[in-house]
Amino acid sequence: MKTTTGAALFLAVLATGLMAGLFAAFAYAVMPGLGKGGDRTFVEAMRNINKVILNGWFLTPFAGALLVLALAAVGAWTSGEHRVFWWVIAALVLYVVMFAVTGGINVPLNDRLAAGELPQTTGALAAARERFESSWVAWNVVRALAATGSFACAAWGLVLYGRSTG
């Protein structure tokens, strides 16, 4: 079980790190950059990003992190690595927060922005952007912080695991 726990922890650190990096990059580069553009550019770009992101490169770490965090938690507990277990549980809770924000807030906003044809008038584009941008950006910061916290807890759990088995 120790080998499985170590492998699961390693994969958890990798997956949570990838997700934290993605959401953080949106927070400090992508959205501020798109925010400088006009309404048509913003709406078109976000609609396109939200279409193309649904691929295996995204979905594997996004969903896989839940699985490997749970596996690492079970492995840490059953092997008596209780200090590691609590850090993995913290990582899992924070990841679930990120997952819930994504599924409960960001994805529905994405779906509303993508609904129907691309607005053609200046006013309709501005209204679509207004209903989307500020809320999406704020909640993306929340999920970036939760994912980063998850990554940090998983990484510390891996450090502790390495110390106890090394």
Side-chain angles (χ1 to χ4, degrees):
M1 186 59 132
K2 281 197 176 270
T3 302
T4 303
T5 303
L9 268 169
F10 174 78
L11 291 173
V13 169
L14 183 62
T16 57
L18 286 168
M19 298 317 302
L22 173 69
F23 296 137
F26 265 86
Y28 59 70
V30 175
M31 297 310 287
L34 288 175
K36 301 277 186 204
D39 295 336
R40 175 171 295 282
T41 299
F42 180 90
V43 171
E44 281 184 312
M46 284 307 299
R47 285 171 61 126
N48 288 332
I49 289 167
N50 291 327
K51 276 187 223 168
V52 301
I53 201 166
L54 296 177
N55 62 64
W57 294 107
F58 168 77
L59 293 172
T60 298
F62 180 68
L66 287 171
L67 176 66
V68 292
L69 283 166
L71 184 60
V74 169
W77 184 261
T78 58
S79 64
E81 300 290 339
H82 296 147
R83 282 186 19 192
V84 173
F85 171 79
W86 292 113
W87 284 101
V88 175
I89 289 298
L92 183 57
V93 167
L94 287 164
Y95 199 82
V96 167
V97 168
M98 179 280 300
F99 205 86
V101 168
T102 299
I105 299 171
N106 290 91
V107 169
L109 286 168
N110 294 345
D111 292 345
R112 280 197 296 272
L113 187 67
E117 295 296 315
L118 180 69
Q120 295 302 310
T121 67
T122 303
L125 285 165
R129 181 177 183 172
E130 176 66 29
R131 287 187 304 270
F132 177 86
E133 187 175 17
S134 62
S135 183
W136 195 96
V137 167
W139 284 104
N140 182 66
V141 170
V142 171
R143 68 183 180 165
L145 292 170
T148 301
S150 178
F151 168 68
C153 290
W156 187 245
L158 183 60
V159 167
L160 293 175
Y161 179 80
R163 289 179 180 172
S164 71
T165 60

